[in-house]
Amino acid sequence: MNPIDKALFHILQRCGLIAILRGVQPHEVVAIGHALYDAGFRIIEVPLNSPEPLASIRALRDALPADCLVGAGTVLSIEAVADVAAAGGQIIVMPHSDPDVIRAARAAGMACAPGVATLTEAYAALAAGANMLKLFPAEALPPHVLKAWRAVITPPMALVPVGGIVPESIAPYAAAGASGFGLGSALYRPGDQAPEVAHKAAAFARAWQASFGTSPATA
């Protein structure tokens, strides 16, 4: 297990809340990153369809403590994996399950969370080296589906619903066996300032603590 894999494993044991900062800009990302870190978040993703995403990834990696993983979302190609690695990224998140992209991320020493919507896709992603599975879109994969997946994809493999997750979603997915959650527009929308993000992050942190028994802010 490489250092990033070990870090990901330990983070998910404490707090599996993953911030997705789609649309964030480099000049504002550090303040938002600090607000998320203070709320207990330890994985922050900047989707590559954001303005200057590589600059934001580099800024976050330079500004935040080493126990916070920073990476990219909406990664669609091997070339993009290389760009993210050069910017200091540590985790690759994908909307799909391209085995070549997964293998490129793993070869670069990064964690990889491909998007999967069926068990066939999930097993193909695992065979390619994925070490976290993004259940996407979560609206199409409700808790009873995740519970069925858990019968054949057992812990410690992480199952992370992404898409439409709000604080009220945490408890039913947690009961079904979710390991974490990718949080998008309910946590951050373009133009949100750090205090607003901190307020929304705190609501997710409370929901996490109520369902998992650990406080992200003190984990």
Side-chain angles (χ1 to χ4, degrees), residues 40-129:
F41 284 61
R42 294 297 182 268
I43 305 176
I44 301 178
E45 164 198 335
V46 179
L48 292 185
N49 54 1
S50 303
E52 300 183 72
L54 299 176
S56 289
I57 291 168
R58 171 51 66 190
L60 286 171
R61 183 60 284 150
D62 290 346
L64 295 177
D67 67 340
C68 184
L69 297 184
V70 176
T74 319
V75 180
L76 303 177
S77 68
I78 293 171
E79 293 77 15
V81 170
D83 291 340
V84 174
Q90 300 157 293
I91 183 167
I92 293 292
V93 183
M94 306 156 57
H96 64 326
S97 184
D98 183 333
D100 290 336
V101 176
I102 297 169
R103 284 190 285 264
R106 302 299 286 146
M110 291 188 283
C112 188
V116 297
T118 68
L119 281 173
T120 299
E121 292 175 343
Y123 277 102
L126 294 174

Side-chain angles (χ1 to χ4, degrees), residues 20-25 27-29 31-33 35 184-201:
I20 303 170
L21 302 183
R22 189 178 308 278
V24 74
Q25 300 192 49
H27 72 271
E28 61 190 357
V29 75
I32 292 169
S185 60
L187 176 67
Y188 171 80
R189 293 179 183 271
D192 285 354
Q193 300 300 304
E196 184 177 1
V197 176
H199 177 74
K200 291 188 281 189

